Amino acid sequence: MVEKSIPTDIKKMSFEDALHELETIVDGLEQGAGKLDEAIGAYERGTFLKQHCEIKLKLKEARERIEKIEVDRAGGVSAQPAEIG
């Protein structure tokens, strides 16, 4: 199976926008809306949206962990695990 890269328009989306579109696609597929070829196209786009959301979420988690690193007055560094979830 050949892996396709995430389309540029999806890469530019915020996490929230991508998640909203993914939810809309899932709702449409669950309701059986559209023709088979449209459903296949929507499923493929949904797959890319899901991948994009996963990447954005991992970046967000990493950013939160970095923000938890505190430099104390003596110049030492202490790290505390971020509470995510």
Side-chain angles (χ1 to χ4, degrees):
M1 183 173 157
V2 177
E3 293 262 341
K4 296 180 183 178
S5 64
I6 297 172
T8 304
D9 68 315
I10 293 176
K11 286 182 181 180
K12 293 179 181 179
M13 294 177 122
S14 69
F15 174 82
E16 292 79 10
D17 290 342
L19 184 60
H20 176 55
E21 184 175 341
L22 179 58
E23 289 171 342
T24 301
I25 288 172
V26 170
D27 288 343
L29 290 173
E30 287 178 344
Q31 294 173 12
K35 297 179 182 179
L36 179 59
D37 59 336
E38 293 170 348
I40 291 170
Y43 181 85
E44 289 175 348
R45 184 162 176 87
T47 300
F48 290 127
L49 289 163
K50 178 181 173 284
Q51 290 173 358
H52 179 67
C53 287
E54 288 171 344
I55 291 167
K56 288 283 191 180
L57 189 58
K58 287 178 185 177
L59 290 174
K60 180 182 176 193
E61 289 173 355
R63 192 174 303 121
E64 288 175 353
R65 287 186 190 138
I66 290 169
E67 289 172 357
K68 282 286 192 174
I69 296 173
E70 297 177 359
V71 178
D72 65 27
R73 292 185 200 158
V77 175
S78 65
Q80 299 174 0
E83 294 180 26
I84 300 171

